[in-house]
Amino acid sequence: MSNFVFTSESVTEGHPDKICDQISDAVLDALLSEDPNSRVACETVVNTGLCLITGEVTSEANLDYISLARNVIKDIGYHGARAGGFDANSCSILIALDQQSPDIAQGVDEAEDHTEDPFDNVGAGDQGIMFGYACDETPELMPLPISLAHRLSRQLATVRHEDTLKYLLPDGKTQVSVIYENDEPVSIDTILISTQHAPEIDGVSSEEGIRKRITSDLWEHVVKQATADLSIKPSKEKTRFLVNPTGKFVVGGPQGDAGLTGRKIIVDTYGGYARHGGGAFSGKDPTKVDRSAAYAARFVAKSLVAAGLAKKAEVQLSYAIGVSKPVSILVETFGTGKLSNRQLTSLVEKNFDLRPAAIIELFGLRRLPKERKGRFYRDIAAYGHFGRPDLNLPWEDVQNKADELKQIKI
């Protein structure tokens, strides 16, 4: 048991790296919509006036990649008066896509350990390690710091899209520091928001005047709104609130920094609160276990916590390219488990099918939900792949599995 401060960050959909993640996942959505068996490893790069889509794609689908990228950039908000130096209508878009390596395809199409079971016939698309995590700090069983950071980022985008704060531009970051006592979150120590903005706000152009206005507006329309339903709330008296600490944030987005798919893996997962295997998610089809097995590991960890078997659970999976079954499985509960880590690991091995083909089937990772209108992966490319009370994600729906686990006698 200990006392400490833990900090996590999030970024808005207009952050350069997140632009890239969303374009890569929009490509994946479009390819899977036309050809569910598409093999995709799509990377995007953005810089001032430039968007490059590269990687490997093997698919029967025929896409207009340029129009697709422009639509994503426009939806985020980079167009017209708010383009901020990167306009969806005028930026150059380059396409440099190859086909998937036949050596990789061979191992995925027919696993080294294949049997008559069809789920044994699909091998992992790469080697690697993946981690999943859950804890009882929030209703969605996520760590509080990353949950709060995402809430603030989403609300920051909402007030921009709804023109509540018309001077905001798309790029932005949030950071939240939470005070823990005896390993439990008790209060919010610091909130930091950096947001791109117009060079002048209602006739005010001085750095001091602009920052004072933004600070007041963000507390009222972002911080208070995003945390209104929480039991642990920020306080003007006790919570330090930092806004645009350099003084101004006018030059942002790809004009300010280059962006690249897969550079926000901690934002995408648990905000640093749990370990990470190193693999990014966006732009990868579900045969890539960096993505699908990370979703499965979260499903396992969340199921264990939802079943009351632990207050915290971290699940590690490892895979070999071309092999269907995981190389290893490990459960760690940090002393909060009702059973030993060894017993829980055995429980997971017996009650969860963690072969890539089984994961794909369980979560429907090739069959995009019709209600999402072709925007499944793109919608999780910003504001985190886990938790997400705003989305109905299959790896977050653990109630049935948790009920099953509660009935098992060990």
Side-chain angles (χ1 to χ4, degrees):
M1 308 295 281
S2 59
N3 301 340
F4 56 90
V5 176
F6 194 90
T7 303
S8 293
E9 73 159 355
S10 177
V11 298
T12 67
E13 66 213 46
H15 186 281
D17 294 332
K18 276 295 149 197
I19 298 171
C20 296
D21 286 343
Q22 289 167 93
I23 292 173
S24 292
D25 272 337
V27 168
L28 177 62
D29 280 337
L31 289 169
L32 290 177
S33 293
E34 288 193 27
D35 178 6
N37 294 314
S38 296
R39 298 287 169 77
V40 186
C42 179
E43 309 287 349
T44 303
V45 182
V46 294
N47 204 340
T48 305
L50 173 67
C51 172
L52 167 64
I53 299 175
T54 187
E56 297 80 43
V57 170
T58 301
S59 177
E60 298 295 324
N62 185 17
L63 299 188
D64 181 350
Y65 292 97
I66 293 177
S67 294
L68 185 151
R70 291 197 192 283
N71 287 336
V72 173
I73 296 166
K74 184 177 180 179
D75 286 348
I76 291 169
Y78 286 104
H79 63 92
R82 296 186 180 183
F86 184 73
D87 196 312
N89 299 311
S90 61
C91 67
S92 297
I93 299 180
L94 305 179
I95 311 299
L97 293 168
D98 296 320
Q99 289 199 332
Q100 183 185 59
S101 161
D103 296 341
I104 295 175
Q106 177 180 334
V108 176
D109 293 337
E110 184 173 321
E112 183 273 339
D113 54 345
H114 69 276
T115 67
E116 293 183 0
D117 185 337
F119 286 170
D120 277 337
N121 291 337
V122 177
D126 201 353
Q127 72 176 55
I129 56 175
M130 301 85 210
F131 287 93
Y133 183 81
C135 63
D136 63 359
E137 293 180 11
T138 62
E140 63 269 28
L141 302 186
M142 287 286 285
L144 183 60
I146 188 64
S147 180
L148 289 175
H150 284 322
R151 278 173 172 255
L152 295 172
S153 286
R154 287 198 301 269
Q155 182 64 14
L156 188 60
T158 296
V159 297
R160 174 175 61 85
H161 284 298
E162 294 180 350
D163 282 340
T164 304
L165 302 178
K166 295 183 178 181
Y167 56 80
L168 292 181
L169 297 179
D171 198 358
K173 303 177 77 172
T174 65
Q175 186 172 289
V176 180
S177 301
V178 174
I179 298 174
Y180 285 75
E181 294 180 0
N182 295 324
D183 285 336
E184 298 288 342
V186 295
S187 62
I188 301 171
D189 179 79
T190 303
I191 290 175
L192 165 62
I193 300 179
S194 295
T195 182
Q196 189 184 12
H197 59 85
E200 185 176 291
I201 300 176
D202 296 336
V204 178
S205 57
S206 69
E207 283 189 16
E208 182 179 354
I210 287 176
R211 186 159 63 167
K212 185 176 181 180
R213 168 67 181 277
I214 294 176
T215 299
S216 175
D217 284 349
L218 292 187
W219 183 268
E220 189 67 28
H221 297 288
V222 175
V223 176
K224 287 177 65 175
Q225 292 297 319
T227 60
D229 62 331
L230 298 178
S231 57
I232 298 177
K233 291 184 175 65
S235 161
K236 270 194 171 182
E237 293 74 30
K238 297 181 179 179
T239 302
R240 181 169 51 165
F241 186 41
L242 304 175
V243 174
N244 291 353
T246 62
K248 64 179 180 179
F249 187 178
V250 174
V251 178
Q255 185 184 24
D257 291 292
L260 179 65
T261 298
R263 280 205 306 209
K264 286 291 174 282
I265 59 176
I266 300 303
V267 172
D268 284 344
T269 53
Y270 308 101
Y273 204 86
R275 286 173 281 198
H276 196 293
F281 299 154
S282 291
K284 296 179 180 179
D285 76 81
T287 66
K288 311 293 192 299
V289 284
D290 275 344
R291 177 169 223 157
S292 53
Y295 294 166
R298 161 66 176 172
F299 179 74
V300 173
K302 188 176 181 182
S303 297
L304 295 175
V305 175
L309 294 172
K311 291 173 63 64
K312 302 178 182 180
E314 183 181 76
V315 176
Q316 186 199 49
L317 307 176
S318 69
Y319 291 84
I321 188 168
V323 179
S324 66
K325 295 181 178 63
V327 173
S328 67
I329 300 172
L330 175 65
V331 176
E332 169 62 66
T333 62
F334 309 96
T336 70
K338 291 188 175 180
L339 302 171
S340 70
N341 289 342
R342 183 175 181 178
Q343 287 174 307
L344 288 172
T345 299
S346 177
L347 183 74
V348 169
E349 291 172 343
K350 294 175 182 177
N351 292 278
F352 293 85
D353 191 341
L354 297 170
R355 293 171 294 175
I359 295 169
I360 291 169
E361 179 65 23
L362 175 64
F363 298 146
L365 297 180
R366 285 193 177 123
R367 303 185 306 274
L368 303 189
K370 291 182 179 179
E371 64 272 16
R372 303 301 304 172
K373 298 180 181 179
R375 280 188 51 163
F376 179 69
Y377 290 106
R378 175 182 164 186
D379 283 347
I380 55 176
Y383 311 117
H385 292 241
F386 306 121
R388 298 309 299 267
D390 56 319
L391 298 174
N392 183 25
L393 301 178
W395 50 90
E396 294 296 317
D397 184 7
V398 302
Q399 191 57 58
N400 289 341
K401 197 65 180 181
D403 289 343
E404 289 179 19
L405 295 176
K406 290 176 183 177
Q407 304 304 315
I408 296 174
K409 296 181 180 180
I410 299 179

